Amino acid sequence: MLNYCHIESTLNMKTFIALLLVLTFIGGCSHQPAVQYVAVQYDLLIRNAMLVDGTGNEPYRGDLAITGDTIAAMGNLGNATALRVIQADGKALSPGFIDLHSHAENDVLKRPDAKNNILQGVTTILAGNCGGSPVDIGDYFERLAANPTSLNVALLLGHNSVRQAVMQRENRHATAAEIEAMERLVAQAMGDGAFGLSSGLIYIPGSFAPPAELEALANVAHSYEGFYASHIRSEGSDVLNALQEAIDVGAQVGLPVHISHHKTAGPSAWGLSKDTLALIDMHRAKGIDISLDQYPYTASNTNLGVLMPPWSLAGGQQAFLERMQQSASRSKILEDVKRIIDEQRAGSEFWRIQISSYPHDPSLVGKNFEKVLKQRNIAVNLHNAAELAIEIQVNGGGRGIYHTMQDEDVERIMRHPHTSIASDGAGVEWQKGSPHPRNYGTYPRTLALYVRDKGLLSLPEAVKKMTSMPANRMGLIDRGLLKEGYKADVLMWDPSTIADNSTFADPHQYSTGIDYVIVNGVVVVEDGEMTDARPGLALHSNSQ
């Protein structure tokens, strides 16, 4: 008698034909029908691709099949069939890029196509970074479910947002009761699916918090298996002390530490990446789980308020304006702004500060401080640059691009084995303002400039830094690799033509070279153009 269990167990599952055994068996009947197999098609089959699977291993030629939202089979799939077949013709097939450091949580609610993210290959974002996030994570996920996006969205809980919810913008240490109130908010958010706690210690009110407060809240996140991601207190001349503070929080609590958009910025910090990376390696050797991310540019982008001393912004804008009316306070603010510009941002080269958004006077958008001063026929010096920064803050503030890094530091950090690639970007509105090019081109730039042109990273190494490494940091168990059983977040792209087209002078340009983007098994980019599909999901931490 046929051993059907043996037949089933030995079928070649590497084919794209799932065989349904249909047998009518009547013992001894001469008219007994033969055994028949009915082919069950896969939904999507991609043929003849260069599979860059996210492990860091060398690429190999093969096929990939998708059923529903899952990668069903990979390899040489022979005569497999599918409802739809795409010929890759040797182009790269990789996991979708996972952006560990995004600020697009609110943008995807407004513009769910997330076009600037999707067209650079991002299929999952981890938002809520630098201390800023929704406080009610559960409510956010409900709103996201009601307005689906083209990509997957995960969240960190922002310490700044939690502190402000409990203490507003007060410049003082929290009381025991306030710490308890913040701990309850962290527990609620982690229970609702947050992946960890983020801090932004150059921003108020987070800058007013001592390490003990961060440790208390990180301990709650740790109890839910979360991690601590920190925009550390300084990325300038005091970067080593700031880095040590973040590491100490992790060591004290026992949770993993992730250093956000690691850099050594400003003339006083150039070259210090040697020391920061050595410090990270030293503590990793002691058993502390430390990772980091980085965007592949020599310029950062944040609000122009970082040029103000944090104490001057305590209590909000009205409190700042009142301090500006007091001669002694104004003088002290001016001196502190001069110091910050000199040490952390521009030195004496004021072109390094570029205005990217300024609602009060949009005519200044895209111009740097040097150009503005020259247009006003004002001497280009530190005093006048500081006065310009104060003027902008008095008028409601804006955002700036800071050209404060050196290529040597960027490349040294990129080569570090525990550095993931991340954008620190958002979901930008087309042709509005003068945003940082990273919002459009982080991932293609890495592949074009640092892999293809400079050879700083190998192709498998770069893809790993964009896929499985961030997935591992988040604890995602079914994304970040091309692997059977993993979710079908997949990209098809051409290594020879992929390009970031966005520049500082002309930022509103989408990346090119990515032919297909597939999210949860659904095509959202086809032949380089977006479809109307919105298959993105809210991702909850595994601890939920």
Side-chain angles (χ1 to χ4, degrees):
M1 178 180 289
L2 285 171
N3 185 337
Y4 302 123
C5 293
H6 176 71
I7 292 173
E8 182 179 348
S9 66
T10 56
L11 287 175
N12 181 5
M13 299 305 293
K14 291 292 185 179
T15 70
F16 278 122
I17 302 177
L19 296 177
L20 175 63
L21 179 61
V22 179
L23 174 65
T24 303
F25 180 73
I26 302 176
C29 294
S30 60
H31 59 276
Q32 172 190 339
V35 176
Q36 297 179 3
Y37 296 95
V38 179
V40 178
Q41 292 180 318
Y42 290 93
D43 293 327
L44 178 62
L45 173 60
I46 303 173
R47 288 282 194 192
N48 188 29
M50 179 176 68
L51 298 172
V52 191
D53 62 12
T55 63
N57 296 330
E58 287 301 309
Y60 60 96
R61 285 293 183 105
D63 312 320
L64 182 142
I66 295 170
T67 294
D69 65 354
T70 302
I71 297 173
M74 291 172 56
N76 183 359
L77 300 177
N79 296 323
T81 63
L83 298 176
R84 180 179 183 187
V85 178
I86 297 173
Q87 297 293 340
D89 297 325
K91 291 182 180 178
L93 203 67
S94 74
F97 302 142
I98 299 174
D99 191 348
L100 264 182
H101 194 106
S102 173
H103 292 279
E105 59 269 21
N106 293 321
D107 300 305
V108 295
L109 295 177
K110 301 173 187 175
R111 293 177 293 279
D113 62 355
K115 189 172 182 179
N116 63 292
N117 305 103
I118 284 288
L119 288 182
Q120 59 173 310
V122 175
T123 58
T124 298
I125 61 170
L126 178 63
N129 281 281
C130 294
S133 76
V135 175
D136 190 336
I137 301 295
D139 173 72
Y140 176 86
F141 282 152
E142 288 180 4
R143 287 186 288 144
L144 192 68
N147 190 29
T149 69
S150 62
L151 43 65
N152 304 308
V153 180
L155 285 177
L156 295 167
L157 177 67
H159 163 250
N160 286 19
S161 299
V162 169
R163 192 177 217 265
Q164 181 160 321
V166 173
M167 301 177 58
Q168 300 302 312
R169 298 188 176 189
E170 296 187 35
N171 182 4
R172 61 175 176 82
H173 289 189
T175 66
E178 289 166 338
I179 291 289
E180 290 178 3
M182 287 189 276
E183 289 174 333
R184 287 193 294 271
L185 290 176
V186 174
Q188 179 64 49
M190 295 300 299
D192 286 339
F195 281 77
L197 179 73
S198 76
S199 66
L201 300 178
I202 71 166
Y203 306 115
I204 67 166
S207 57
F208 305 140
E213 178 179 313
L214 300 168
E215 291 169 9
L217 303 187
N219 190 53
V220 178
H222 181 43
S223 69
Y224 288 84
E225 301 180 7
F227 66 97
Y228 173 57
S230 184
H231 179 156
I232 57 179
R233 210 174 289 269
S234 171
E235 294 170 325
S237 59
D238 202 34
V239 62
L240 287 169
N241 289 329
L243 178 59
Q244 186 65 60
E245 177 189 25
I247 294 171
D248 288 344
V249 169
Q252 184 68 28
V253 174
L255 86 172
V257 175
H258 185 78
I259 306 303
S260 297
H261 47 55
H262 185 44
K263 65 180 75 70
T264 52
S268 61
W270 290 341
L272 288 180
S273 60
K274 292 180 181 178
D275 301 312
T276 61
L277 296 177
L279 184 65
I280 288 170
D281 288 341
M282 180 184 74
H283 285 286
R284 283 189 58 85
K286 295 178 181 179
I288 301 175
D289 183 356
I290 310 170
S291 57
L292 52 156
D293 66 58
Q294 175 202 47
Y295 47 82
Y297 297 88
T298 56
S300 62
N301 182 204
T302 190
N303 65 72
L304 288 163
V306 299
L307 300 176
M308 304 296 111
W311 65 266
S312 71
L313 301 174
Q317 179 70 0
Q318 186 57 41
F320 174 78
L321 295 176
E322 290 172 2
R323 292 184 183 101
M324 290 300 298
Q325 299 302 314
Q326 303 168 13
S327 177
S329 293
R330 192 190 193 287
S331 295
K332 188 174 189 315
I333 291 171
L334 178 62
E335 290 306 310
D336 281 354
V337 173
K338 289 164 65 175
R339 174 184 53 79
I340 291 168
I341 290 175
D342 183 48
E343 293 180 1
Q344 301 178 27
R345 298 293 169 179
S348 60
E349 298 176 305
F350 307 114
W351 61 266
R352 293 184 179 275
I353 305 174
Q354 178 183 339
I355 301 168
S356 62
S357 174
Y358 185 28
H360 178 76
D361 185 359
S363 71
L364 299 187
V365 171
K367 299 176 181 177
N368 61 57
F369 273 29
E370 179 179 309
K371 185 172 184 178
V372 172
L373 294 176
K374 286 182 176 179
Q375 285 183 341
R376 293 179 175 183
N377 293 317
I378 297 173
V380 179
N381 57 40
L382 181 59
H383 176 89
N384 290 333
E387 289 284 8
L388 176 57
I390 290 172
E391 173 192 321
I392 291 172
Q393 187 62 37
V394 165
N395 289 325
R399 292 184 63 81
I401 293 172
Y402 302 91
H403 298 266
T404 58
M405 291 170 266
Q406 288 192 317
D407 286 324
E408 292 83 356
D409 289 310
V410 170
E411 294 182 6
R412 185 179 295 118
I413 292 168
M414 186 178 291
R415 286 194 301 265
H416 192 272
H418 297 285
T419 300
S420 295
I421 303 299
S423 75
D424 193 15
V428 297
E429 188 171 351
W430 181 249
Q431 296 297 353
K432 184 174 181 179
S434 184
H436 195 297
R438 68 192 183 194
N439 292 287
Y440 287 96
T442 291
Y443 296 89
R445 177 179 173 84
T446 302
L447 295 166
L449 179 61
Y450 293 101
V451 175
R452 186 176 65 219
D453 297 345
K454 289 192 171 186
L456 184 77
L457 301 175
S458 69
L459 179 60
E461 183 182 15
V463 170
K464 180 179 179 180
K465 287 175 176 286
M466 302 174 182
T467 57
S468 64
M469 282 178 59
N472 290 339
R473 176 75 293 163
M474 294 174 64
L476 297 176
I477 60 175
D478 57 359
R479 298 181 196 270
L481 292 173
L482 296 183
K483 185 176 180 180
E484 292 175 15
Y486 272 51
K487 296 303 179 185
D489 295 344
V490 179
L491 308 178
M492 191 177 90
W493 47 280
D494 189 339
S496 66
T497 64
I498 193 167
D500 60 308
N501 301 309
S502 178
T503 66
F504 291 104
D506 187 10
H508 290 285
Q509 299 188 73
Y510 293 112
S511 292
T512 51
I514 297 178
D515 297 322
Y516 284 85
V517 180
I518 299 167
V519 178
N520 295 315
V522 178
V523 175
V524 295
V525 173
E526 182 169 353
D527 291 328
E529 298 293 332
M530 290 200 69
T531 70
D532 293 328
R534 301 290 180 267
L537 299 174
L539 301 185
H540 299 72
S541 67
N542 295 326
S543 65
Q544 188 187 16

